[in-house]
Amino acid sequence: MKKLCVFTISFLLMTFSLILCSLTGPSCFWRIQNNEDDGDLHRDCGFFLFTSEEPIKEDFYHFCIDFRIPARRYEVFLVMFFATDEINRNPYLLPNMSLIFCLIVGMCGDTLGYLEETHSPNNTWNSINYNCEIRPICDIELTGPSWTTSVKLAINSRKPKVFFGPFNSHLSDHDQFPYIYQVATKDTHLSHGMVSLMLHFRWTWIGLVISDDDQSIQFLSDLREAMQRHGICLAFVNMIPENMQIYMTRGKIYDKQIMTSSAKVVIIYGEMNSTLEVSFRRWAYLCARRIWITTSQWDVITNKRDFSFDFFHGTVTFAHHNGEIVIFRNFLQTVNTSKYPLDISQTMQEWNYFNCSISKNSNSKMDHFTFNNTLEWTALQKLNMVLSEEGYNLYNAVYAVAHTYHELILQQVEFQQMAEPKGIFTDCQQVASLLKTRVFTNPVGELVNMKHRENQCADYDIFNIWNFPQGLGLRVKIGSYYPCFPQNQQLHISEDLEWATGGTLVPTSMCSVTCTAGFRKIHQKQTADCCFDCAHCPENEVSNETADMEQCVRCPDDKYANLEQTHCLHRAVSFLAYEDPLGMALGCMALCFSALTLLVFFTFVKYKDTPIVKANNRILSYILLISLVFCFLCSLLFIGHPNQATCILQQTTFGVFFTVAISTVLAKTITVVMAFKLTAPGRRMRGMLASGAPNLVIPICTLIQIVLCGIWLVTSPPFIGRDTKSEHGKTIIICNKGSVIAFHFVLGYLGSLALGSFTVAFLARNLPDRFNEAKFLTFSMLMFCSVWITFLPVYHSTRGKAMVVVEVFSILASSAALLGFIFVPKCYVILVKSDSNFREKYKNKFHY
């Protein structure tokens, strides 16, 4: 029952994916692998090519290939059959000659085991034989896909060899390996392409697994450099040792690292047929749910019977962009099965490991073959075959050999070197020198230069691999990478990308959740840069739609941050205006008190000859009343839109007029004390009192205040300030004091005058006189001092318009205290109890 469910699900997936292929054109392919050969890691192939003037015998390859070929190497043999057949049909390349290949003994079987045995120090026979015949001539050999095979074959051999596996930096050292040449293109920009892909999908937390060899370490260095430039971090780096015994002692550590890491994207880089492949297949068995990013050689099929959508999120591979060999499909459909070994021709229809796209033509010889199950039949319907990257390299290698032989034969004919049979070459140095300089255009139209394989502008195709049960796989081209394009045009990814899990949502791989707008990153100690916490932006700072901002951006002074702290909004301008209820109330109070003061002033002028007015020095009363009028009016300078003039006048008028008022009160108290405290005064003191000497206190005190204000205005005058912190979303226009020290000096001077007036008045409060105002002066100064002592802490604890309101209210309250406690009782006597306003009635009570 379980097998039936798995089969049903797989069949439905296969049908769905075939429909997907029909929509995407030539960007996808199915592949089927014979599961019996899955997991064999040691089967490289080696061929040698030679020419013959005789046609190939019908049964030649049946004799040459007399063993069971591993399923993973079917493509290699098909490419060899196809390439040699195509060359032999070409009248312009090796005319009247046949290009033939044959296997090197021990290759395509247990290659490494055979080579170890052959090149063992205990083995006295150190040469490589061939299973067709021993040829004492210089034929070119093709080896791959493992570079170690070419190195072992190069021991004690001067025969030129073309390596068709992935480009390897070891083999490019011609001092060490002078007879080995590579046909693959070097991965010059592979690390940059992978980083571009990570940036596109916003993958910033990446795992890396590489082989412990020089080429992989160089790749690690290039990748790390590219990652650091773009803020991508490595979660872990596992370097898999090449020695199997060492690997077995550390295998569980590597497994634990993969299974427990929070990185959902892992890069695989290194050689196939190695302990790295053992690790990869082991992680597949452990169901490591990761996205694997790697090269095309790692397009492996997993043999997982218990199917799960989450088995692999998918494998993303980078492959060099190669031209499509259109006639390869026709070759497979019309292949002469009697010409090739029976093992190949029977199995070729049961296995497909190549690129393909859905074709409308279903008339194929494959339709007549019988398959073991419906899945294989479904997968092989309407397929267009395209070579893999490894097969394409082998295809170019065969052509490189053919062009080399062609040039050698031309030289034989030209220089009439016919001592040897035509097509027989014994000078390996000559063959190698011609091979390494071959430059030709293959039938696809691509220029192949054997001397320069480090193409700086090699383009990549990017594929997404889906693995299904029963050895089925689907590869879909999802994009391309063009390293020589402008940076913003290098990576092209399909918009309708679908992942192996069946969804279009891009999987995430991050150490920390992305900080959204309004937040900023706070890096954790002793962790990678990609691991961080998110914190709200400071006050009046924003982070816009850009994610993971290191620092928030402060809004300009005329703007403020919205509540989400994602945008800066324009501030509303605010000040204590007359239109505001509070501003209107304070303005009306100032005008009313000013009018009341003027009314008192005119009352005193009208009743200037009355005893109560004359008894309290009416000149000082006039001065005090006029200064109070200006004190009330100066508060109006604090209301309305501030400008430079009002800012300067606010503090200077306030300081000067209040100094006049307080110094007048001080003069009045001094006059009272001098009149009643001095007993038996002499002529000089009486003359000073009669001449009005106490009145000099007013100009002297005022002059001192004017000097202080002048110093203030010269050193650091008040100016227009903008308060953006007091009210959210508003810019409050206020007058900045400029020098805070000067402001407090002015207040301190006023406070000292007030304290002196209060002290003198307090001493004279009990002096006898019907019209003695010492008590009223004492109370008025007590209230004045109380107001301004309270003013200081309240003023410094408020912000914005409230500061202005506090200062205006203090001015009005202190001025009203002077007006009320000094003049209201006198007005009451003048206007209500006028009968008592006669000094004569009490003349006998006073003695001067």
Side-chain angles (χ1 to χ4, degrees):
M1 186 64 184
K2 180 178 180 181
K3 292 183 178 179
L4 179 61
C5 292
V6 170
F7 174 82
T8 304
I9 294 174
S10 303
F11 179 77
L12 292 175
L13 275 170
M14 180 75 73
T15 306
F16 165 75
S17 301
L18 285 173
I19 297 173
L20 176 65
C21 285
S22 66
L23 297 176
T24 57
S27 62
C28 65
F29 75 92
W30 278 103
R31 56 191 182 153
I32 302 176
Q33 175 173 300
N34 188 334
N35 291 324
E36 294 176 4
D37 296 298
D38 189 41
D40 195 330
L41 307 181
H42 302 290
R43 290 185 175 176
D44 283 358
C45 282
F47 308 93
F48 66 91
L49 287 93
F50 58 94
T51 57
S52 175
E53 295 184 271
E54 299 295 330
I56 303 175
K57 294 181 180 180
E58 188 75 17
D59 61 346
F60 175 81
Y61 288 115
H62 289 270
F63 169 74
C64 185
I65 306 172
D66 58 352
F67 60 90
R68 180 179 176 275
I69 297 175
R72 292 181 63 184
R73 295 294 169 249
Y74 290 157
E75 181 189 19
V76 172
F77 282 88
L78 290 175
V79 171
M80 294 298 297
F81 293 145
F82 168 68
T84 54
D85 182 77
E86 186 180 40
I87 292 171
N88 292 332
R89 293 173 184 270
N90 187 347
Y92 303 103
L93 185 61
L94 294 175
N96 302 320
M97 301 290 290
S98 295
L99 182 66
I100 307 171
F101 76 89
C102 203
L103 279 170
I104 300 175
V105 174
M107 303 298 288
C108 288
D110 187 6
T111 306
L112 295 182
Y114 174 79
L115 292 176
E116 291 289 349
E117 180 182 353
T118 301
H119 295 284
S120 171
N122 299 326
N123 194 339
T124 58
W125 184 64
N126 250 359
S127 62
I128 299 293
N129 287 331
Y130 303 96
N131 68 340
C132 294
E133 57 179 306
I134 299 177
R135 300 172 57 86
I137 56 178
C138 195
D139 296 327
I140 301 176
E141 300 174 352
L142 307 181
T143 58
S146 174
W147 70 277
T148 55
T149 302
S150 297
V151 172
K152 290 182 179 295
L153 288 174
I155 299 176
N156 299 328
S157 173
R158 297 185 61 187
K159 289 189 175 183
K161 297 171 180 58
V162 180
F163 175 64
F164 60 85
F167 187 93
N168 191 281
S169 58
H170 294 89
L171 301 181
S172 62
D173 184 0
H174 293 295
D175 293 332
Q176 186 176 2
F177 306 109
Y179 296 102
I180 300 179
Y181 306 97
Q182 303 187 75
V183 72
T185 305
K186 184 178 181 180
D187 289 319
T188 309
H189 296 280
L190 178 62
S191 58
H192 298 86
M194 288 183 174
V195 170
S196 297
L197 183 73
M198 298 171 202
L199 291 174
H200 178 81
F201 292 121
R202 297 183 179 179
W203 294 332
T204 58
W205 191 236
I206 309 299
L208 178 63
V209 182
I210 61 175
S211 299
D212 190 4
D213 55 47
D214 294 340
Q215 181 165 315
S216 298
I217 293 174
Q218 181 60 47
F219 172 78
L220 168 62
S221 176
D222 297 339
L223 183 69
R224 193 190 299 272
E225 181 181 352
M227 283 183 166
Q228 289 176 348
R229 285 200 304 267
H230 296 91
I232 301 174
C233 304
L234 286 172
F236 61 87
V237 178
N238 282 346
M239 300 179 65
I240 308 299
E242 295 179 316
N243 184 280
M244 181 62 75
Q245 293 181 346
I246 298 176
Y247 167 75
M248 294 302 294
T249 60
R250 305 176 184 174
K252 291 185 178 180
I253 299 176
Y254 302 139
D255 296 343
K256 183 179 180 180
Q257 180 73 73
I258 288 288
M259 302 304 294
T260 60
S261 175
S262 59
K264 302 303 179 184
V265 176
V266 179
I267 296 175
I268 303 288
Y269 186 84
E271 288 288 330
M272 293 284 288
N273 298 342
S274 65
T275 52
L276 183 58
E277 185 177 352
V278 175
S279 297
F280 186 77
R281 293 182 179 276
R282 178 173 174 81
W283 298 330
Y285 177 78
L286 295 174
C287 294
R289 295 175 175 84
R290 299 292 184 270
I291 294 177
W292 309 93
I293 301 178
T294 184
T295 54
S296 59
Q297 64 175 318
W298 285 91
D299 175 12
V300 297
I301 297 177
T302 58
N303 183 18
K304 182 77 173 175
R305 298 284 181 179
D306 297 329
F307 177 68
S308 170
F309 280 105
D310 290 335
F311 170 53
F312 273 161
H313 286 304
T315 303
V316 179
T317 63
F318 280 73
H320 289 289
H321 177 74
N322 298 318
E324 181 179 354
I325 306 176
V326 179
I327 61 175
F328 182 60
R329 170 177 173 266
N330 183 63
F331 170 78
L332 292 179
Q333 293 178 340
T334 60
V335 63
N336 184 3
T337 56
S338 63
K339 184 178 180 179
Y340 301 109
L342 182 64
D343 191 55
I344 283 286
S345 47
Q346 284 183 345
T347 316
M348 186 171 59
Q349 284 75 16
E350 297 180 2
W351 177 89
N352 168 26
Y353 195 50
F354 318 116
N355 297 331
C356 68
S357 64
I358 303 303
S359 172
K360 294 182 179 179
N361 299 322
S362 61
N363 297 326
S364 171
K365 289 186 178 182
M366 293 184 180
D367 295 339
H368 302 290
F369 291 102
T370 303
F371 302 101
N372 294 330
N373 56 58
T374 308
L375 292 178
E376 293 184 4
W377 179 86
T378 305
L380 292 177
Q381 295 301 302
K382 309 173 185 177
L383 299 178
N384 289 336
M385 301 300 178
V386 180
L387 293 181
S388 67
E389 185 174 5
E390 181 182 295
Y392 189 79
N393 292 336
L394 179 58
Y395 178 76
N396 283 334
V398 175
Y399 265 90
V401 174
H403 280 278
T404 303
Y405 286 165
H406 184 86
E407 182 65 25
L408 287 168
I409 293 173
L410 289 179
Q411 290 184 8
Q412 281 183 338
V413 173
E414 181 179 357
F415 296 106
Q416 297 182 353
Q417 298 175 350
M418 303 309 295
E420 298 177 350
K422 183 181 179 181
I424 302 298
F425 317 109
T426 58
D427 188 353
C428 288
Q429 186 68 37
Q430 181 188 17
V431 175
S433 62
L434 283 175
L435 174 63
K436 71 179 181 180
T437 57
R438 285 307 85 203
V439 179
F440 61 92
T441 302
N442 65 14
V444 181
E446 179 188 352
L447 182 67
V448 180
N449 189 339
M450 293 296 295
K451 193 172 184 179
H452 300 287
R453 299 309 296 160
E454 299 184 14
N455 187 355
Q456 297 297 324
C457 289
D459 300 334
Y460 290 91
D461 291 330
I462 305 173
F463 296 92
N464 186 21
I465 310 300
W466 294 14
N467 283 310
F468 296 106
Q470 308 297 328
L472 299 175
L474 176 67
R475 181 169 72 174
V476 181
K477 182 179 177 181
I478 63 173
S480 302
Y481 178 71
Y482 307 99
C484 290
F485 279 23
Q487 187 170 1
N488 58 346
Q489 301 176 13
Q490 290 177 346
L491 185 69
H492 296 266
I493 298 296
S494 174
E495 296 181 357
D496 55 348
L497 173 61
E498 185 172 353
W499 297 93
T501 53
T504 57
L505 184 64
V506 178
T508 60
S509 183
M510 297 181 294
C511 179
S512 301
V513 179
T514 301
C515 293
T516 57
F519 291 82
R520 63 184 177 95
K521 296 194 297 186
I522 299 179
H523 290 283
Q524 303 172 2
K525 293 182 179 180
Q526 297 179 347
T527 59
D529 291 340
C530 300
C531 300
F532 50 82
D533 297 321
C534 297
H536 277 287
C537 288
E539 184 180 357
N540 205 38
E541 293 186 10
V542 298
S543 62
N544 54 22
E545 289 82 1
T546 305
D548 290 341
M549 292 190 65
E550 295 283 349
Q551 296 293 334
C552 298
V553 179
R554 188 169 186 83
C555 291
D557 291 339
D558 60 340
K559 294 183 179 181
Y560 71 100
N562 60 351
L563 294 178
E564 294 79 15
Q565 292 185 281
T566 57
H567 295 90
C568 291
L569 306 177
H570 285 282
R571 292 180 179 273
V573 177
S574 177
F575 51 88
L576 184 61
Y578 289 105
E579 293 79 9
D580 294 342
L582 196 57
M584 185 179 296
L586 292 175
C588 291
M589 288 175 61
L591 292 176
C592 291
F593 279 122
S594 299
L596 181 60
T597 306
L598 288 174
L599 182 61
V600 173
F601 174 76
F602 289 121
T603 301
F604 268 57
V605 171
K606 182 179 180 180
Y607 296 98
K608 61 182 178 180
D609 295 324
T610 58
I612 195 170
V613 175
K614 294 171 65 177
N616 293 289
N617 198 331
R618 57 189 175 189
I619 300 300
L620 293 179
S621 297
Y622 295 158
I623 295 174
L624 180 57
L625 288 171
I626 293 173
S627 63
L628 287 177
V629 171
F630 285 104
C631 287
F632 285 123
L633 293 178
C634 78
S635 63
L636 298 177
L637 295 172
F638 292 83
I639 306 174
H641 194 293
N643 53 56
Q644 190 62 36
T646 57
C647 287
I648 293 176
L649 290 175
Q650 279 180 7
Q651 307 303 329
T652 54
T653 56
F654 158 71
V656 171
F657 289 126
F658 263 81
T659 301
V660 173
I662 300 303
S663 61
T664 303
V665 174
L666 180 59
K668 290 174 71 69
T669 54
I670 291 174
T671 301
V672 173
V673 171
M674 289 179 65
F676 291 95
K677 280 292 185 179
L678 296 177
T679 57
R683 292 182 178 179
R684 184 176 180 183
M685 186 64 64
R686 184 184 293 271
M688 291 177 59
L689 187 61
S691 62
N695 296 347
L696 294 176
V697 172
I698 300 173
I700 294 173
C701 294
T702 305
L703 182 61
I704 294 174
Q705 185 69 286
I706 291 174
V707 171
L708 291 176
C709 292
I711 296 173
W712 183 3
L713 296 180
V714 171
T715 55
S716 181
F719 58 89
I720 299 174
R722 298 177 181 272
D723 182 6
T724 59
K725 298 181 179 180
S726 298
E727 295 187 36
H728 183 72
K730 291 183 179 181
T731 298
I732 301 175
I733 308 298
I734 59 174
C735 287
N736 193 294
K737 299 297 187 293
S739 175
V740 179
I741 297 176
F743 173 69
H744 286 88
F745 259 107
V746 170
L747 285 183
Y749 181 68
L750 283 175
S752 63
L753 290 179
L755 185 61
S757 300
F758 172 75
T759 304
V760 176
F762 182 79
L763 295 175
R765 70 187 186 282
N766 294 321
L767 294 177
D769 192 345
R770 174 72 174 177
F771 305 117
N772 182 13
E773 61 178 351
K775 291 183 179 180
F776 302 120
L777 293 176
T778 302
F779 279 112
S780 64
M781 296 316 300
L782 179 62
M783 290 301 300
F784 183 90
C785 292
S786 300
V787 168
W788 288 104
I789 290 174
T790 307
F791 162 80
L792 289 175
V794 176
Y795 181 80
H796 289 290
S797 63
T798 55
R799 292 289 182 271
K801 290 192 295 185
M803 297 178 69
V804 182
V805 171
V806 169
E807 191 168 358
V808 172
F809 181 79
S810 299
I811 292 172
L812 295 177
S814 58
S815 301
L818 294 178
L819 177 66
F821 284 97
I822 295 175
F823 294 100
V824 169
K826 296 178 181 179
C827 291
Y828 176 77
V829 172
I830 293 173
L831 299 176
V832 178
K833 292 191 174 183
S834 57
D835 56 335
S836 62
N837 190 15
F838 295 102
R839 186 178 177 186
E840 287 78 8
K841 291 185 179 180
Y842 308 97
K843 187 175 182 179
N844 57 342
K845 298 181 181 180
F846 299 99
H847 304 279
Y848 294 94

